[in-house]
């Protein structure tokens, strides 16, 4: 114990002298050189320490990239949810529409964590108001069918745009057929 | 079809007999299909103080009056080159025979003076067949008031000849679409003063005027759902009145101003509700799993016309104000929508299909006497009656360019009110009298 104290005292003395030397001779070139040597050691250590987190960051980035790619794939699939189409003044689901909705339902059940917005649209013929109601019916027909296939009703919201947002603004049968649709917007759940 | 043609023929013959048999003083029914426009002579005005002196207003004012009267579709200005009498002829010396011989039945003689910044005009309306004055007015105001003075005297002429004033002081609201967004606009009956009234930067639709003309209700999507708003025209302030998830569509305001018809799917599907503005309470009027939309009031506020597809296709129905006594009104064709009840009569205008196009029809409130009013090449939709029941505004197209037109309630005299070059104009709604002049 006593020896320890003596050693500690000696170390303190040496350190004090060294400090006094550094402070006292700070402006001398030789001492500066020595200081440079002293400083060099911790500098090396810092560099080593830097390398480790940086490797970790690269690994993390790789993981993120993979996640991002997976997310992109999911979003790409989500964005490619096909529209379904309706006959004039109808909101019954056609056989084709049911097939498409089955695919949408399968995807939603396989990829939980997504919300679905169903937009009901109409062609330009007829009254704006009646078409808003018709678009509402079209959106809800799809919603009800998805729910019947097991999709959680809480994931789905509907909106009618009536005849306000045609996909094809032309005034002919081909355009009207494209515009009588349900459009689907898939977004990650909030 | 043959039966219908025959009944129209009988009606025309009946009118002819009526017009022959009637004494000269009874003016013709201006809304009858056989109506002939009133031929009116509008010579230059003369100086009020009797002194000679040129003023461009001498010609401009009768010109403005001619435009105003022709806007109504009830008048034809007799060619001014045919006038035999000098404008300076004093009223006590008017030779009515000189006006009769050129085909005029009515004559307006006027005088004016415009010292400094003031303007005074004096107008007299004569029946040249009877040889007597029907109306006379003097207006005093500022320079620049001439249009207001002319519209006021045009109202006098209309009152004298048809029993009620015109609608020069009304506006037509419509939804103007541009780049997938829309706003509510208003334009005056004479096609002047186009104004954008909303700015939600969202889809904005279905304007409906309040009974006093101070507010417009409409449906808009600024918050991602079709919510119902009310715009105070004086302050420009908008209030969101309904925001049930799903549709919140405007119906008509009641004639007494206290109630508003709305469409909501708050109970699971589109139903019609009446909303008491005072108490803020709503009452459901329809109970049907079908689509029920587009409600509008009868002029007495006791019945409601609306659209329902409960019988398989959209048709016009009428019900009592409490939702009772529902009956189907239209049976021709598989698509009849957009009812508008004449504010003065017993007819309902709507849009239906004819020859592959939508056209405007009218029908008696008890379901009889359907008449096709428009024969537009590119269709006509969304009829709206003027407050005097003598005009109907509708949306249409020419060469694919959208426009709002006005037609007399007898189907004559269509004119374009607004042509949208870069604005697609739809869903017109006619204001009540706004006392603009």
């Amino acid at each position: 114990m006593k020896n320890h104290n003596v050693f500690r005292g000696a170390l303190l003395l040496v350190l004090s002298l060294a400090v006094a030397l550094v402070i006292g001779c700070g402006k001398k070139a030789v001492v500066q050189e020595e200081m440079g040597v002293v400083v060099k050691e911790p500098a090396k250590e810092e560099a080593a320490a830097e390398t480790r987190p940086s490797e970790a960051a690269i690994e993390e980035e790789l993981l993120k990239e993979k996640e991002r790619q997976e997310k992109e794939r999911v979003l790409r699939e989500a964005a490619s949810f096909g529209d379904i189409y309706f006959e004039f003044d109808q909101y019954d689901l056609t056989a084709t529409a049911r097939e498409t909705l089955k695919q949408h339902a399968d995807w939603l059940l396989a990829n939980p964590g997504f919300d679905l917005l169903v937009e009901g649209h109409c062609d330009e013929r007829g009254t704006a108001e009646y078409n808003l109601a018709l678009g509402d019916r079209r959106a809800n027909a799809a919603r009800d069918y998805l729910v019947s296939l097991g999709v959680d009703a809480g994931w789905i919201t509907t909106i009618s745009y009536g005849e306000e947002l045609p996909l094809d603004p032309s005034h002919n049968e081909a355009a009207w057929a494209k515009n009588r649709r349900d459009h689907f917007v898939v977004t990650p759940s909030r | 079809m043959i039966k219908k043609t025959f009944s129209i023929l009988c009606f025309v013959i009946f009118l002819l007999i009526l017009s022959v048999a009637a004494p000269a003083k009874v003016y013709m029914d201006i809304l009858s299909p056989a109506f002939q426009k009133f031929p009116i002579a509008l010579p230059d005005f003369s100086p009020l103080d009797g002194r000679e002196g040129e003023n461009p207003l001498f010609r401009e004012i009768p010109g403005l009056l001619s435009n105003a009267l022709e806007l109504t579709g009830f008048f034809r200005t007799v060619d001014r080159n045919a006038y035999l009498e000098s404008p300076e002829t004093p009223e006590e010396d008017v030779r009515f025979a000189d006006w009769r011989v050129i085909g005029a039945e009515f004559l307006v003689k006027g005088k004016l003076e415009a010292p400094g910044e003031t303007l005074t005009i004096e107008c007299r309306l004569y029946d040249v067949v009877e040889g007597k004055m029907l109306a006379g007015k003097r207006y005093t105001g500022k320079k620049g008031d001439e249009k207001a003075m002319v519209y006021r005297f045009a109202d006098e002429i209309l009152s004298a000849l048809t029993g009620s004033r015109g609608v020069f002081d009304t506006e037509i609201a419509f939804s103007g679409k541009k780049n997938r967004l829309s706003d509510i606009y208003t334009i005056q009956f004479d096609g002047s003063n186009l104004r954008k009234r909303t700015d939600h930067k969202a889809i904005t639709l279905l304007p409906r005027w309040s009974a006093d003309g101070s507010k417009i209700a409409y449906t808009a999507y600024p918050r991602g759902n079709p919510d119902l708003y009310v715009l105070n025209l004086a302050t420009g302030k908008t209030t969101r009145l309904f925001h049930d998830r799903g549709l919140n569509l405007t119906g008509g305001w009641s004639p007494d101003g206290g109630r508003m018809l709305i469409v909501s799917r708050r109970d699971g599907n589109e139903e019609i509700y009446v909303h008491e503005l005072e108490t803020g309470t709503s009452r459901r009027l329809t109970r049907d799993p079908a689509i029920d939309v587009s409600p509008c009031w009868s002029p007495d506020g006791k019945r409601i016309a609306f659209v329902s597809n409960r019988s398989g296709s959209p048709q016009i129905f009428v019900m009592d104000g409490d939702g009772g006594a529902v009956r189907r009104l239209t049976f021709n064709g598989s698509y009849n929508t957009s009812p508008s009840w004449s504010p003065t009569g017993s007819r309902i205008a709507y849009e239906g299909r004819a020859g592959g196009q939508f056209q405007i029809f009218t029908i008696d409130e008890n379901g009889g006497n359907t008449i096709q009013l428009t024969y537009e090449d590119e269709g006509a939709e969304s009829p709206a009656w003027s407050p005097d029941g003598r005009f109907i505004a509708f949306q249409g197209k020419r060469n694919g360019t959208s426009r709002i037109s006005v037609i007399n309630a007898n189907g004559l005299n269509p004119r374009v009110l607004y042509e949208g070059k870069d604005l697609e104009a739809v869903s017109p709604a006619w204001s009540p009298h706004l006392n603009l002049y």
Side-chain angles (χ1 to χ4, degrees):
Chain A
M1 246 338 204
K2 227 179 177 182
N3 279 352
H4 245 237
N5 278 343
V6 170
F7 175 72
R8 219 183 251 179
L11 189 70
L12 209 66
L13 188 71
V14 171
L15 277 175
S16 305
L17 282 172
V19 169
L21 211 66
V22 168
I23 294 168
C25 314
K27 284 176 185 168
K28 287 184 182 166
V30 178
V31 176
Q32 259 192 341
E33 224 168 80
E34 274 176 11
M35 265 192 73
V37 174
V38 172
V39 170
K40 221 174 184 176
E41 274 303 306
K44 238 182 196 169
E45 259 179 33
E46 267 171 34
E50 252 174 29
T51 318
R52 277 195 294 273
S54 138
E55 271 166 14
I58 287 165
E59 276 170 32
E60 216 177 277
E61 252 177 48
L62 279 172
L63 276 176
K64 266 191 187 159
E65 177 59 17
K66 211 172 181 184
E67 248 174 47
R68 195 179 62 76
Q69 278 176 0
E70 171 64 9
K71 214 171 183 179
E72 250 181 22
R73 181 191 65 80
V74 171
L75 287 174
R76 204 166 40 242
E77 285 178 8
S80 65
F81 261 49
D83 291 354
I84 59 170
Y85 301 94
F86 295 86
E87 296 298 315
F88 177 68
D89 188 31
Q90 297 297 315
Y91 42 88
D92 300 337
L93 300 171
T94 63
T96 319
R98 279 165 198 269
E99 270 171 42
T100 309
L101 287 171
K102 177 77 175 67
Q103 290 166 17
H104 296 351
D106 291 346
W107 190 92
L108 287 167
L109 292 168
N111 297 278
F114 284 89
D115 288 337
L116 179 69
L117 174 67
V118 186
E119 300 176 359
H121 297 269
C122 304
D123 70 36
E124 62 179 352
R125 295 171 296 167
T127 316
E129 286 141 284
Y130 185 77
N131 280 338
L132 283 165
L134 194 60
D136 189 65
R137 291 296 172 110
R138 286 175 177 167
N140 281 290
R143 190 198 81 107
D144 292 349
Y145 190 64
L146 289 169
V147 169
S148 80
L149 295 174
V151 177
D152 190 328
W155 299 348
I156 311 173
T157 46
T158 59
I159 189 166
S160 172
Y161 285 112
E163 60 181 87
E164 307 308 317
L165 300 176
L167 198 62
D168 183 338
S170 314
H171 312 292
N172 55 51
E173 287 289 350
W176 294 333
K178 270 186 249 171
N179 294 335
R180 292 189 300 265
R181 70 200 191 279
D182 274 349
H183 181 66
F184 302 92
V185 181
V186 184
T187 48
S189 305
R190 275 171 299 168
Chain B
M1 188 64 198
I2 289 168
K3 201 176 157 193
K4 200 166 152 189
T5 313
F6 179 71
S7 64
I8 290 170
L9 198 68
C10 284
F11 183 58
V12 170
I13 290 167
F14 170 73
L15 283 170
L16 285 173
I17 292 166
L18 198 71
S19 61
V20 170
K25 192 67 203 80
V26 174
Y27 299 111
M28 283 194 71
D29 174 9
I30 53 165
L31 296 183
S32 102
F35 171 72
Q36 297 287 312
K37 293 180 183 188
F38 298 120
I40 190 164
L42 301 164
D44 287 358
F45 279 29
S46 60
L48 191 61
D49 58 9
R51 277 176 302 161
E52 289 296 320
E54 267 314 301
N55 189 328
L57 288 175
F58 290 163
R59 177 149 295 192
E60 282 171 25
I61 287 181
L64 285 172
L65 188 55
S66 170
N67 291 344
L69 293 174
E70 289 191 1
L71 270 187
T72 68
F74 306 143
F75 294 86
R76 176 174 61 79
T77 307
V78 177
D79 181 8
R80 57 172 55 247
N81 293 322
Y83 300 171
L84 302 169
E85 192 177 86
S86 154
E88 277 75 32
T89 308
E91 46 268 19
E92 57 273 19
D93 296 340
V94 172
R95 292 186 305 276
F96 294 110
D98 281 358
W99 294 106
R100 281 199 298 269
V101 75
I102 60 165
E105 288 175 19
F106 301 95
L107 165 70
V108 172
K109 281 186 72 73
K111 293 178 175 179
L112 70 85
E113 65 178 6
E117 286 309 300
T118 66
L119 173 67
T120 299
I121 73 171
E122 213 180 82
C123 309
R124 289 180 173 79
L125 169 70
Y126 297 95
D127 178 332
V128 300
V129 178
E130 294 278 300
K132 62 182 218 184
M133 192 175 96
L134 298 175
K137 282 264 170 162
R138 176 197 282 246
Y139 304 95
T140 305
K142 300 186 301 293
K143 280 205 174 87
D145 287 343
E146 54 266 25
K147 188 168 137 182
M149 292 175 179
V150 160
Y151 281 158
R152 288 225 205 151
F153 194 66
D155 273 345
E156 294 290 331
I157 297 172
L158 283 163
S159 297
L161 301 190
T162 70
S164 63
R165 65 193 273 212
V167 288
F168 301 108
D169 67 332
T170 61
E171 293 183 332
I172 288 90
F174 61 86
S175 169
K177 304 187 199 179
K178 190 187 208 169
N179 301 330
R180 302 171 76 82
L181 301 178
S182 39
D183 275 299
I184 305 301
Y185 291 77
T186 57
I187 191 167
Q188 278 177 224
F189 173 70
D190 62 4
S192 70
N193 204 12
L194 175 71
R195 277 187 286 177
K196 181 164 160 301
R197 300 290 203 158
T198 60
D199 193 21
H200 287 296
K201 299 183 171 55
I203 296 168
T204 306
L205 300 164
L206 311 176
R208 296 284 184 275
W209 292 87
S210 65
D212 64 358
S214 69
K215 300 186 188 82
I216 295 176
Y218 57 90
T219 295
Y221 288 64
R223 302 202 192 182
N225 189 66
D227 296 335
L228 196 153
Y229 292 78
V230 173
L231 165 69
N232 181 319
L233 290 162
T235 63
K237 200 170 159 271
T238 60
T239 314
R240 193 169 64 144
L241 199 58
F242 294 104
H243 52 93
D244 293 325
R245 184 77 218 166
L247 300 178
N248 296 275
L249 305 183
T250 47
W253 298 66
S254 62
D256 63 13
R259 292 161 294 158
M260 184 194 278
L261 292 169
I262 59 165
V263 173
S264 165
R265 68 185 319 282
R266 64 177 72 150
D267 292 317
N269 82 90
E270 303 78 17
E271 301 287 5
I272 294 164
Y273 299 77
V274 61
H275 177 70
E276 303 280 342
L277 290 154
E278 184 97 347
T279 61
T281 54
S282 297
R283 196 155 40 89
R284 183 169 162 186
L285 297 179
T286 53
R287 292 173 190 281
D288 197 288
I291 291 174
D292 297 309
V293 287
S294 300
C296 71
W297 299 95
S298 63
D300 61 6
K302 290 184 173 144
R303 282 160 297 160
I304 295 161
F306 65 102
V307 171
S308 179
N309 70 344
R310 60 185 66 185
S311 50
S313 63
Q315 298 291 346
I316 313 291
F317 287 72
V318 171
M319 63 181 167
D320 287 349
D322 61 1
V326 180
R327 62 185 197 278
R328 182 171 162 182
L329 197 69
T330 53
F331 289 91
N332 288 338
S334 62
Y335 200 109
N336 296 306
T337 57
S338 218
S340 174
W341 208 312
S342 164
T344 55
S346 54
R347 289 184 76 74
I348 293 167
Y350 62 95
E351 70 175 81
R353 287 207 284 188
Q357 292 283 9
F358 285 98
Q359 299 291 353
I360 309 300
F361 294 79
T362 60
I363 188 168
D364 280 345
E365 62 184 27
N366 54 23
N369 196 17
T370 305
I371 292 171
Q372 182 176 342
L373 209 64
T374 62
Y375 292 84
E376 296 279 307
D377 291 343
E378 294 170 56
E381 291 188 55
S382 231
W385 291 89
S386 61
D388 63 356
R390 301 197 285 204
F391 305 93
I392 290 172
F394 60 90
Q395 72 179 65
K397 282 196 180 73
R398 174 60 57 92
N399 300 325
T401 300
S402 102
R403 56 193 201 173
I404 303 287
S405 298
V406 170
I407 195 166
N408 289 35
N410 58 5
L412 299 175
N413 199 47
R415 78 177 160 95
V416 178
L417 178 69
Y418 173 78
E419 187 143 37
K421 270 124 201 136
D422 55 352
L423 202 63
E424 189 190 348
V426 299
S427 301
W430 211 310
S431 79
H433 285 290
L434 299 173
N435 299 315
L436 301 172
Y437 301 109

